[in-house]
Amino acid sequence: MKHTITAALAGVIAQGAISQCAWAEPGRAPALVKVRNPVEAASDPAETGFRVFVEALRPDATARGVSRAIFDAAFRDVATPDAEVLARTRRQGEFARPVWEYLVGAVSPGRITRGRAQGARLAATLASIEAQTGVPRAIVLAFWGIESDFGASAGTVSTIRALATLAQARFRGNLFREELLAALTILERGDITPARMKGSWAGAMGQVQFLPSSFLAHAVDFDGDGHRDIWNSDADALASIAGYLKNLGWNPGLSWGYEVVLPADFDLTRYRADLADFARRSVHRTDGAALPVSGEASVFLPGGIGGPAFLITGNFEVVRAYNTSDAYALAVGHLADRLAGGPALAAAWPSKAARLDTDGLRALQTGLAARGLYAGDADGRAGPKLRDAVRQYQIGQGIPADGYATPALLARVKGGP
């Protein structure tokens, strides 16, 4: 994406002041650039507003240890918001599409083939990471594959411009303002330069698509070169994924989940239990392996009754901490299983099943909250809170408690007692 090139957004500095670039080619002195007052230089009101917003960040950045030189260099080529970034806030595939459609692309035959090849190429690195963190190499590879197609599609959008655009628009409140300040902190620490700090439209960076705050908390310099380089170092990228999952509580003794067959008389009101209890109730894995003898799990029916059934563990929620979409978490888990040599899903998806769109889910959340069953934001996203609320409503109504949100369920919530 081409960005408008301007003199450094150095802040409101005196006309005729000199700004020095913080990064230069090896063996070359930094260029000296004469700049005008950036607010006075803008002729478009939108550009002026953007520059004023950026300049207002300077005191907070300074308080976090970001130098004037780094701040100026970060915004030197960032003059206006990115219209495409704003447009992308209205369309997110893992939330908008049915889970079965999302999985088609996320766990494609081509991705499985590429992932197995990458696993073989990086076998020693992955083995070392797994030994240090307890996170299975297949899970690490699956994250890498879904986030950036194993490093091939790490993103080309300027992280600073994307975050500044979202922060000025107050998309999700102050979240992206804080992420922008975190990105400036990363630049100050020297892990990457502004020109190479690139990623997605939402400010997620590099091969692992970490937001800056996640980078500061979890990124790892695994190759020992002194930089946590999730943009260009495969080893750093993979170790950072594993470190993140370990820090969030990954349990090495359990999988993310298991595809299972529920018996015809299975009591869906008892949807959370020990794995041993599920086994006693004649729940069995579709791949023929035995369920673990310890650990807790819950029934997950992402397509409702008649579609694939899963027992998901606490590790599923660790995966969701990376991205809060149920479809995303299921894709990571299933891709990991396929990369490790596991089979495709045994049950067919109900591809024509009725489902709620984002507005419908938001209305359902609101309706269940009015009944005291749902506590959380009406954000139009399916997740564990909404599943539990739907199940409690279904149990109270004496209907099968599959936790699946449908238009018929919404109509019942709106019109029923």
Side-chain angles (χ1 to χ4, degrees), residues 196-352:
R196 293 172 60 222
M197 182 183 263
K198 294 183 182 297
S200 76
W201 66 270
M205 306 181 302
Q207 297 184 33
V208 301
Q209 294 291 280
F210 275 1
L211 285 172
S213 60
S214 293
F215 178 98
L216 292 173
H218 306 293
V220 175
D221 173 22
F222 196 78
D223 61 18
D225 69 352
H227 299 283
R228 295 169 297 173
D229 187 359
I230 61 171
W231 294 267
N232 302 290
S233 168
D234 293 347
D236 286 3
L238 295 168
S240 295
I241 292 169
Y244 184 100
L245 297 175
K246 178 184 177 181
N247 293 344
L248 267 65
W250 181 272
N251 182 348
L254 291 174
S255 172
W256 64 274
Y258 313 91
E259 188 186 5
V260 297
V261 175
L262 303 177
D265 61 350
F266 184 79
D267 182 1
L268 286 170
T269 67
R270 297 168 56 199
Y271 57 86
R272 184 178 290 113
D274 292 335
L275 285 162
D277 180 65
F278 283 117
R280 286 191 296 270
R281 294 160 61 193
S282 300
V283 176
H284 62 270
R285 290 172 57 170
T286 58
D287 62 4
L291 288 170
V293 297
S294 63
E296 293 185 352
S298 61
V299 176
F300 179 39
L301 300 168
I305 296 173
F310 302 89
L311 294 182
I312 54 174
T313 72
N315 285 338
F316 187 84
E317 291 307 310
V318 173
V319 175
R320 283 187 75 257
Y322 210 105
N323 180 314
T324 59
S325 160
D326 282 344
Y328 175 91
L330 186 59
V332 167
H334 184 48
L335 178 59
D337 290 348
R338 298 302 308 277
L339 294 177
L345 294 179
W349 289 102
S351 57
K352 295 183 180 180

Side-chain angles (χ1 to χ4, degrees), residues 26-285:
R28 256 180 150 181
L32 296 179
V33 182
K34 192 170 184 178
V35 302
R36 293 182 292 162
N37 180 311
V39 175
E40 292 177 357
S43 58
D44 187 305
E47 183 178 344
T48 300
F50 186 70
R51 289 169 179 263
V52 169
F53 167 79
V54 167
E55 195 53 37
L57 291 168
R58 190 183 292 273
D60 283 348
T62 300
R64 298 185 185 205
V66 178
S67 66
R68 174 173 287 273
I70 294 294
F71 189 96
D72 292 350
F75 289 102
R76 177 164 288 113
D77 295 335
V78 181
T80 60
D82 189 327
E84 176 60 20
V85 166
L86 293 175
R88 287 294 299 273
T89 63
R90 296 184 286 273
R91 56 183 194 271
Q92 286 178 260
E94 64 266 38
F95 294 107
R97 285 182 285 165
V99 59
W100 46 89
E101 289 184 9
Y102 182 73
L103 260 64
V104 168
V107 192
S108 66
R111 180 163 287 169
I112 294 167
T113 299
R114 292 191 299 276
R116 289 174 178 170
Q118 292 285 10
R121 179 177 72 86
L122 296 164
T125 298
L126 288 162
S128 180
I129 291 170
E130 183 172 350
Q132 292 184 33
T133 64
V135 180
R137 66 197 72 188
I139 282 287
V140 175
L141 275 173
F143 271 101
W144 192 34
I146 289 178
E147 290 297 344
S148 65
D149 200 16
F150 311 103
S153 302
T156 59
V157 179
S158 161
T159 297
I160 295 297
R161 190 182 186 206
L163 291 172
T165 297
L166 295 167
Q168 187 199 25
R170 292 188 59 78
F171 181 61
R172 298 189 187 172
N174 285 324
L175 170 64
F176 288 102
R177 187 179 192 277
E178 291 299 310
E179 293 296 342
L180 179 55
L181 291 168
L184 294 171
T185 302
I186 294 168
L187 294 176
E188 182 66 38
R189 295 185 182 184
D191 283 305
I192 195 71
T193 65
R196 293 172 60 222
M197 182 183 263
K198 294 183 182 297
S200 76
W201 66 270
M205 306 181 302
Q207 297 184 33
V208 301
Q209 294 291 280
F210 275 1
L211 285 172
S213 60
S214 293
F215 178 98
L216 292 173
H218 306 293
V220 175
D221 173 22
F222 196 78
D223 61 18
D225 69 352
H227 299 283
R228 295 169 297 173
D229 187 359
I230 61 171
W231 294 267
N232 302 290
S233 168
D234 293 347
D236 286 3
L238 295 168
S240 295
I241 292 169
Y244 184 100
L245 297 175
K246 178 184 177 181
N247 293 344
L248 267 65
W250 181 272
N251 182 348
L254 291 174
S255 172
W256 64 274
Y258 313 91
E259 188 186 5
V260 297
V261 175
L262 303 177
D265 61 350
F266 184 79
D267 182 1
L268 286 170
T269 67
R270 297 168 56 199
Y271 57 86
R272 184 178 290 113
D274 292 335
L275 285 162
D277 180 65
F278 283 117
R280 286 191 296 270
R281 294 160 61 193
S282 300
V283 176
H284 62 270
R285 290 172 57 170

